Amino acid sequence: MIPKDQEKIISLYESRLDQYADSAKTVGWGSREDQFLRFATLCRGLELKGKRVLDIGCGLGDFVSFADQHTGGDYDYVGVDIAEKLISRAKNKFPSDRRTFLCGDFQNIKFNQKFDLVVLSGALSVRITDNINLAHQTLTKMAALAEEAAAANFLSTHVDYQLEKDFHFDPGAILNFAKSLSRWVRIYHDYPLYEFTVQILSAPHKSDRQR
């Protein structure tokens, strides 16, 4: 991501933090219920308990609250975001040795481990200079870091309207690119939000093998 785009996104989210504080609106969602529906769809059919999770564009770390409800806290988590104020708030919210928050550009961070699950929720929705290229780079690195699955959601082009500030993706184009990264890909466009979710699996899931 080029510097001017980084500055745009940091300014957007940190100004929302000043306005909304610890709210789903800070990270661009209308409600906590919608936000958790997105998380649930990212993890559909996947196991969180006991896993290592990497969260790209983690914002205030809200995925931790979701995962805690489904695992009793039994998982290891790393969240990454470019907005320093949001990362600082997340560290204060979730002070645990099993919860790590990093401030920086995902593309520039070198990780010394892989993760069972790599997720991204909403971090590719703001219109920048080249959304398609960023999405391809991000999905490629996510898939390379994921030992079980990488999952990301996108605003869809199958909508009644689009706001100029947002970028909507063609589900078919994202599916085709995801298939270049793995033979095993799932796409969900069946939940009541103007978006879709792609899961890139490193191997066929056991539930798929049983069909």
Side-chain angles (χ1 to χ4, degrees):
M1 192 186 306
I2 63 176
K4 75 171 185 177
D5 289 330
Q6 286 192 8
E7 292 169 6
K8 173 183 177 179
I9 291 172
I10 292 170
S11 176
L12 171 65
Y13 286 105
E14 291 192 347
S15 64
R16 284 177 178 170
L17 179 63
D18 292 338
Q19 182 176 4
Y20 299 115
D22 189 7
S23 163
K25 292 183 178 180
T26 294
V27 288
W29 304 131
S31 69
R32 188 71 71 192
E33 291 75 20
D34 285 354
Q35 185 184 37
F36 274 34
L37 174 59
R38 291 177 172 93
F39 294 154
T41 307
L42 286 171
C43 300
R44 189 188 298 183
L46 304 173
E47 178 62 52
L48 278 173
K49 191 171 184 178
K51 302 298 185 176
R52 297 161 298 165
V53 180
L54 175 62
D55 182 9
I56 310 306
C58 67
L60 296 169
D62 295 317
F63 187 89
V64 172
S65 297
F66 167 82
D68 282 352
Q69 292 181 7
H70 294 271
T71 66
D74 181 17
Y75 63 98
D76 294 293
Y77 171 95
V78 176
V80 176
D81 203 284
I82 61 173
E84 186 174 358
K85 288 183 179 179
L86 272 65
I87 286 292
S88 178
R89 182 68 64 92
K91 287 180 178 178
N92 289 332
K93 284 174 61 179
F94 304 106
S96 166
D97 291 341
R98 300 186 70 180
R99 311 289 180 256
T100 301
F101 294 92
L102 305 175
C103 184
D105 185 341
F106 170 58
Q107 293 297 334
N108 296 330
I109 296 176
K110 293 183 179 180
F111 297 91
N112 59 8
Q113 64 170 318
K114 287 193 172 185
F115 300 85
D116 298 303
L117 179 61
V118 182
V119 299
L120 178 153
S121 185
L124 297 170
S125 298
V126 176
R127 183 179 293 276
I128 58 169
T129 303
D130 191 343
N131 287 84
I132 299 294
N133 184 55
L134 177 61
H136 288 179
Q137 290 180 353
T138 302
L139 288 176
T140 299
K141 186 170 182 179
M142 288 175 66
L145 287 168
E147 294 194 331
E148 295 186 12
N153 54 36
F154 303 85
L155 293 174
S156 175
T157 53
H158 294 274
V159 294
D160 298 327
Y161 68 93
Q162 299 183 27
L163 299 177
E164 182 59 32
K165 68 180 181 64
D166 297 328
F167 189 89
H168 291 245
F169 292 82
D170 177 353
I174 290 295
L175 175 61
N176 286 338
F177 182 77
K179 290 290 287 183
S180 75
L181 301 174
S182 173
R183 293 173 56 192
W184 304 286
V185 177
R186 295 170 174 166
I187 185 167
Y188 299 117
H189 208 316
D190 60 347
Y191 52 110
L193 298 172
Y194 297 110
E195 60 185 55
F196 63 96
T197 293
V198 167
Q199 291 179 346
I200 303 170
L201 308 178
S202 58
H205 192 270
K206 62 182 179 181
S207 62
D208 298 323
R209 292 195 297 264
Q210 292 168 354
R211 292 175 183 172

